[in-house]
Amino acid sequence: MPGVGRGDSVWLADVLRAEGLEVVELPGWRQRGHGAFSDIRGVMVHHTGSDSATAESIAVGRPDLPGPLSQLHVARDGTVTVVAAGVAWHAGAGSFSWLPANTGNWHTLGIECANSGTSPWAPHRRNWPDEQYAALVGSCAALCRRLGRPASRTIGHKEYAGRAQGKWDPGAIDMGTLRRDIAVRIATPRPAPDDDYVGVLLQRGSTGPQVAELQRRLRYAYAAYAGDLAIDGVFGPDTEAAVREFQRRSTGLEVDGIVGPATAAALRLRLVSSPA
Ligand SMILES: [Zn+2]
């Protein structure tokens, strides 16, 4: 059994939990790997090729390719399983601008998502449940943040090995869109637990200091589309439009123009006082 040394990603479970993800630690993950990392430069995303592939199968591998086959497994319900801290056989032959040829396994953390990928031409997120996509975005954001790297350091297997191996995973994932979603998540401190926001309900017609705080948050944190929003404590059509735009740009939120617990948490809305 190759040793897994100090340079390894033994922080994986901690940073994923801190991101608010549902994390399972596969027994033995800290010791699992084909040797130690010394220079982790980014993250590589894959689909397993089957909607039902398990984390255990990633740990064990195949007769022709012993596991671990990646460091993380993301299930369709959004559960993130930490499979290995050491080097895994996920990348194979390929190249990318910040990777010397054929060294992906030694310089990137691999994320295998339980997904068939559908087809190389499928539109973005076909067959990707909200929970799974949100967990993928959160995982990539957490890893990039820990590595001190921007969202651009998340690449797809198809970008690295499309030419060398004909890989097209992750299927039905537009990598530019994924990287934009990761960048937003990196820039946004992780949402507080939804429990903090139980009972929050701001919608058209709401008034008061909590609405003003909502408007302040939108105006200053999301100036790209809410920079002109009046801070008047009245939830009118402009506030609703800004809320809808925030929801549209966020992962996993319903676009309904209503600020309930999930939207409030995603906004990191400061609660000014408990409602009377
Ligand atoms: Zn792959």
Side-chain angles (χ1 to χ4, degrees):
M1 178 76 198
V4 170
R6 284 173 187 278
D8 281 307
S9 44
V10 289
W11 40 262
L12 280 170
D14 291 339
V15 305
L16 294 165
R17 268 201 196 96
E19 191 66 30
L21 297 163
E22 198 60 47
V23 176
V24 170
E25 299 182 52
L26 198 68
W29 73 269
R30 288 169 190 274
Q31 285 75 42
R32 191 171 289 119
H34 302 288
F37 276 113
S38 61
D39 179 15
I40 305 174
R41 300 181 182 185
V43 178
M44 192 178 295
V45 179
H46 306 259
H47 68 229
T48 57
S50 150
D51 287 355
S52 57
T54 63
E56 287 75 13
S57 71
I58 299 301
V60 171
R62 312 189 299 256
D64 61 315
L65 194 64
L69 302 181
S70 68
Q71 283 74 29
L72 302 183
H73 170 275
V74 179
R76 297 176 70 74
D77 69 356
T79 302
V80 181
T81 301
V82 186
V83 173
V87 169
W89 299 153
H90 65 93
S95 60
F96 203 76
S97 56
W98 41 268
L99 286 173
N102 310 327
T103 62
N105 287 328
W106 290 274
H107 294 300
T108 62
L109 296 168
I111 303 181
E112 284 282 1
C113 301
N115 200 298
S116 71
T118 60
S119 90
W121 309 279
H124 185 59
R125 289 197 51 193
R126 172 175 289 173
N127 190 43
W128 285 80
D130 288 350
E131 295 80 3
Q132 187 177 35
Y133 186 73
L136 173 61
V137 170
S139 296
C140 293
L143 300 185
C144 285
R145 204 188 282 119
R146 175 61 175 74
L147 295 169
R149 303 290 194 181
S152 58
R153 284 298 180 100
T154 294
I155 59 174
H157 200 196
K158 56 192 173 188
E159 294 175 300
Y160 168 84
R163 193 172 303 223
Q165 304 180 59
K167 294 288 185 185
W168 55 275
D169 66 313
I173 291 293
D174 178 85
M175 290 305 299
T177 303
L178 175 64
R179 281 188 282 265
R180 276 196 293 280
D181 290 341
I182 295 168
V184 168
R185 179 83 179 228
I186 290 174
T188 308
R190 101 168 169 81
D194 284 14
D195 288 2
D196 295 0
Y197 294 100
V198 164
V200 170
L201 181 62
L202 300 171
Q203 57 192 327
R204 187 81 82 97
S206 299
T207 58
Q210 188 62 73
V211 174
E213 185 55 34
L214 167 68
Q215 291 166 330
R216 194 171 292 119
R217 179 80 182 136
L218 286 165
R219 175 165 168 162
Y220 295 115
Y222 302 95
Y225 53 89
D228 297 324
L229 194 60
I231 299 171
D232 59 7
V234 178
F235 197 119
D238 292 347
T239 303
E240 184 177 7
V243 169
R244 282 183 184 278
E245 189 58 28
F246 171 76
Q247 291 170 328
R248 216 184 326 274
R249 294 176 183 224
S250 302
T251 299
L253 291 180
E254 199 179 334
V255 181
D256 58 9
I258 296 170
V259 179
T263 297
L267 273 166
R268 291 184 54 76
L269 181 64
R270 192 175 68 88
L271 298 177
V272 293
S273 61
S274 46

